[in-house]
Amino acid sequence: MNTFPDSGAVLLELHSFLGRHMTLLRHPVTPGLAAQLLVQEPDASKLLRRFRHAEAARPEEERWGVLEWDQRPQEFDPLLMTVREHDLDVNCVAMSPSGTFFASGGGDKSVKIVRISTGDLFMILAGHTDAVNAVVYTPDGRRVVSAGSDKTIRIWDALRGAELFVLSGHAENVRALAVNGTTLISAGHDKTA
């Protein structure tokens, strides 16, 4: 007889929980941070129920003493993950064709490549001299293309991080990109595409 009939669901919730909070939990600043994050899970969470059950069984002086919020999410979202790698606003994101990485560009003049499975920063593409407004992967996943307020488009090696080309021609901010493998299209604040 299985003592924990919902253990598969608990493992899925645990995987999602760790994925969503990995950047905070990797370097915890206070003991009990994981417990405090856990009690913010939806009421329907099996992981939260197990935590409450285990906490109730501990002597009062050994309990975490976490603060429970009145308003929590009502549903469990296994796809939610928050990654905080940029120093300023994030303006754009693109997923690699393989689904292994995503690239984000922001006001900090950089493109950050993050491994989706862990939320870990894989590399930083630095070269823009102003905010990054658009980012795309080529269909083969070998290149990342970024565009910025510095009026440039930059083409990067997606695995090594090397800047391969810098394209200029826009008179103002470059705001959008599209690529299909043989053609790159850009659109700018200068009313050109």
Side-chain angles (χ1 to χ4, degrees), residues 4 16 18 57 84 86 127 131 137 156 178 180 182 184-185:
F4 303 107
S16 174
L18 291 173
R84 292 178 176 85
H86 285 276
Y137 275 88
W156 310 85
N180 70 1
T182 59
L184 171 65
I185 302 170

Side-chain angles (χ1 to χ4, degrees), residues 1-11 46 49-50:
M1 180 173 164
N2 189 352
T3 310
F4 303 107
D6 60 351
S7 58
V10 171
L11 286 175
K46 292 175 176 52
R49 284 200 305 265
R50 290 232 180 136

Side-chain angles (χ1 to χ4, degrees), residues 1 4 7 17 23 29 36 41 52-53 55-57 64 66-67 73 78 98-99 104 136 142 149 153 178 181 189:
M1 180 173 164
F4 303 107
S7 58
F17 175 81
T23 54
V29 292
Q36 187 61 55
E41 292 291 290
R52 285 180 176 156
H53 178 76
E55 192 70 352
W64 286 107
V66 295
L67 175 64
S98 67
S104 60
V136 295
R142 294 177 53 213
S149 293
I153 298 165
H189 198 254

Side-chain angles (χ1 to χ4, degrees), residues 95-97 136-145 155 158 179-181:
M95 188 177 300
S96 68
V136 295
Y137 275 88
T138 57
D140 63 7
R142 294 177 53 213
R143 306 282 183 259
V144 173
V145 184
I155 301 174
V179 64
N180 70 1

Side-chain angles (χ1 to χ4, degrees), residues 77-97:
D77 184 355
L79 301 179
L80 183 64
M81 178 193 310
T82 301
V83 177
R84 292 178 176 85
E85 292 296 346
H86 285 276
D87 297 327
L88 297 172
D89 55 322
V90 177
N91 298 330
C92 52
V93 293
M95 188 177 300
S96 68

Side-chain angles (χ1 to χ4, degrees), residues 5-183:
D6 60 351
S7 58
V10 171
L11 286 175
L12 283 174
E13 285 186 25
L14 179 60
H15 184 266
S16 174
F17 175 81
L18 291 173
R20 284 181 280 128
H21 300 296
M22 189 58 69
T23 54
L24 289 172
L25 295 174
R26 187 179 311 135
H27 306 288
V29 292
T30 56
L33 178 61
Q36 187 61 55
L37 292 168
L38 187 57
V39 297
Q40 297 174 35
E41 292 291 290
D43 283 327
S45 167
K46 292 175 176 52
L47 191 59
L48 176 58
R49 284 200 305 265
R50 290 232 180 136
F51 170 76
R52 285 180 176 156
H53 178 76
E55 192 70 352
R58 295 174 63 180
E60 192 166 333
E61 65 275 4
E62 293 179 15
R63 294 183 189 166
W64 286 107
V66 295
L67 175 64
E68 296 232 21
W69 299 96
D70 291 336
Q71 304 228 345
R72 280 198 300 278
Q74 297 303 307
E75 295 180 8
F76 174 72
D77 184 355
L79 301 179
L80 183 64
M81 178 193 310
T82 301
V83 177
R84 292 178 176 85
E85 292 296 346
H86 285 276
D87 297 327
L88 297 172
D89 55 322
V90 177
N91 298 330
C92 52
V93 293
M95 188 177 300
S96 68
S98 67
T100 305
F101 300 101
F102 75 83
S104 60
D108 60 3
K109 308 174 191 176
S110 69
V111 175
K112 307 283 176 91
I113 308 294
V114 174
R115 188 178 305 277
I116 292 174
S117 63
T118 63
D120 290 335
L121 181 64
F122 179 67
M123 79 172 87
I124 299 172
L125 308 179
H128 283 280
T129 58
D130 207 338
V132 176
N133 301 320
V135 64
V136 295
Y137 275 88
T138 57
D140 63 7
R142 294 177 53 213
R143 306 282 183 259
V144 173
V145 184
S146 59
S149 293
D150 61 1
K151 307 173 194 171
T152 67
I153 298 165
R154 296 171 189 265
I155 301 174
W156 310 85
D157 182 301
L159 294 177
R160 294 183 301 118
E163 186 178 77
L164 303 174
F165 303 100
V166 178
L167 308 174
S168 56
H170 282 278
E172 294 186 37
N173 301 346
V174 186
R175 308 297 289 174
L177 294 168
V179 64
N180 70 1
T182 59
T183 304

